[in-house]
Amino acid sequence: MVRLSRLLRLRKSGFDTPLRVSRFRYVAHGANSLFQNAEVEVVENFDGTCHLKSGNIIRLALDGCTNRPFYRIVVSKRTDPRDCEMEQIGTFDPMPNMLNEKLCSINFERLKYHLALGAHPVKSVRRLIGLSGFLPLDPTLLIFAEGLKRRRKIEELISSQGNATEDDESSNS
Amino acid sequence: MMSLRWRILFSLSSRRLCRTVYSGPDGLPDFTREYEKNTDTSWEARKLKNIRQRVIDKEKGKKFEDLEKIVDDEARRIAPLSHFIFSDDPAVCNKDLMLGQRMEILGNPSSDGKNNIKEKYSKSSNLDPDFIRPEVQEILKRIRGKDPKIIFKTKLERNKEMPKIQLLSDEQLKQKYEEALEAAEKFLEMPPVMTEREPIDEELAFDEKLDGYEHSSLVFTDISEDLNRNERFIVVRETNGKLRKATWEERDRMLQIYFPKPQRDILKPELFDDLTIALKKEFHENVLQQILIHFDPDSANYINLTKQVYDDIDEKGAFELLRSTRFFGGLAFYLTKYKSIDNLLIYFLHSKLLEEASDLINLHYLIKPKSEVSQQIQDIDDAVEKVKIFVANDATNARAIKLALNPFLKSHQKRTGKQRSVQ
């Protein structure tokens, strides 16, 4: 018998996940000496490769009022509730302002620090970092954007065909 | 469905809740759309119609008389500029202080004769090279005047300290008076005159695949601490997929949001749209203070607006308004470099300030030198003859200057004993 929670989790993520971004920060063999921080652990896989083990996650914490979201970019543990934090790194405003801009602020110094010690940024934060130009673009973003374009082309074709048929009918009748 | 009893209770309670403000014969608003019909001539309908018409007109750009009242109130606002604009420590100028900290930059008096301006300002490359010269600075300080009544006049601010009462002898009083006059120079620190900054037009990347991904552009700012205000990265990703550096206006806005300067608004007040309304009522000093607060001295807005104010003063001849304030140096510099000194000279001669007139002419030939005339002027000390040479060579309004010179010539004649006709 399979647990219900496991099934729900699979249904959300998709039974076939074609793309999976690496969660770990891979590190050279014998890199223990480089890190002075005692909280850092270097774990050896069966392959012989090593990666940093840290439960830190960079994600968006939701604040604001009803019908008015406002996110804070935050470093926390996976098990913590959504709005708790160890450190705040920036902000993101998803509602565009009078000049049609969405404002985002990031403290790149602390970002570098936490990324180097093995924190894993979530999909939304990864996309923001890629759009800002600090790191290369996220592959999930590009795939989504290509899919968007294809869908819009199809919609345009359908609407243009619909208009063409209407014109033919009006001209004929 | 509510029963009868509940309906009665609800209606009674709702009326009580709504009728908090008496706004006419019926306390409740009119939810039926009878106001759209022109037959209704009650005062409520007329009020609503007027409001709608005003909104439509404002979107089209019509100006109302109420704008003058708003602009008037904004111009009367005495901006509490910190008496010390710029501190001597460049570290304090360049650091961005976080929200919540007080931005009172109190500068210590510059000892050791450190009058070098370049060390004070972080954007020293944009300073006007003629403004930096120490000879020019000395002349501007002398022209400005030092009336203690105007410098120490009371402003509508609460005193942060209780006034001190001391028993002093006459000599000690004189000493304190002189010390106060020396300290008054900090109240007269001149805002810098800079050339216009070059526009930013740099493209970092162009990703065509992101075309149409977002409907609005994204603006990213770097919040790391201990960074110079000009060195922060502020970057815009447009809906095309184009990554570019932000323009100067966007930069100013973002830096004001995340690292604000005191009393500066993000949406600039309506004063600056139409300065003529405020300048009619002679609020030049307040307007200049607000321009200093809201804009950087580099920007095009600052230069255009100060130009308007200086031109207005020049036409009217109202130089008294800025006398013995910190803005007089900028006025004099602008007039010598980009316009003519004639009106200023006439003002000095009418108010019998001959030393300032001679200093002005020295200034003019420092900034616009002529080989023949500048040597003559350095030799001569008498102000009247300097003015005559200036009139002969470089004056645009010679007749008015000669008229103003007449009383000095007669006294000059009386001393020498000759009688000459005015030419």
Side-chain angles (χ1 to χ4, degrees), chain A residues 89-92 96-109 127-133 137 141-142 144-146 148-149 152, chain B residues 204 207-227 233 235-237 239 243 250 253-254 257-258 267:
Chain A
I89 282 177
T91 58
F92 175 59
N97 65 6
M98 287 181 358
L99 302 161
N100 206 19
E101 296 166 349
K102 292 184 185 176
L103 305 178
C104 179
S105 62
I106 306 175
N107 190 347
F108 286 113
E109 273 186 35
R127 286 187 178 183
L128 283 175
I129 295 168
L131 286 168
S132 71
L137 287 175
L141 216 178
L142 293 168
F144 182 77
E146 278 184 27
L148 251 187
K149 271 190 184 176
R152 275 178 197 161
Chain B
L204 298 172
D207 296 307
E208 290 171 349
K209 295 182 181 179
L210 295 175
D211 193 3
Y213 168 67
E214 281 251 21
H215 290 294
S216 51
S217 54
L218 277 162
V219 181
F220 294 94
T221 57
D222 189 4
I223 292 185
S224 15
E225 299 173 17
D226 297 340
L227 261 191
F233 269 111
V235 144
V236 176
R237 173 78 75 166
T239 50
L243 228 200
E250 289 168 0
R253 229 188 321 133
M254 293 300 129
I257 287 168
Y258 295 112
L267 298 173

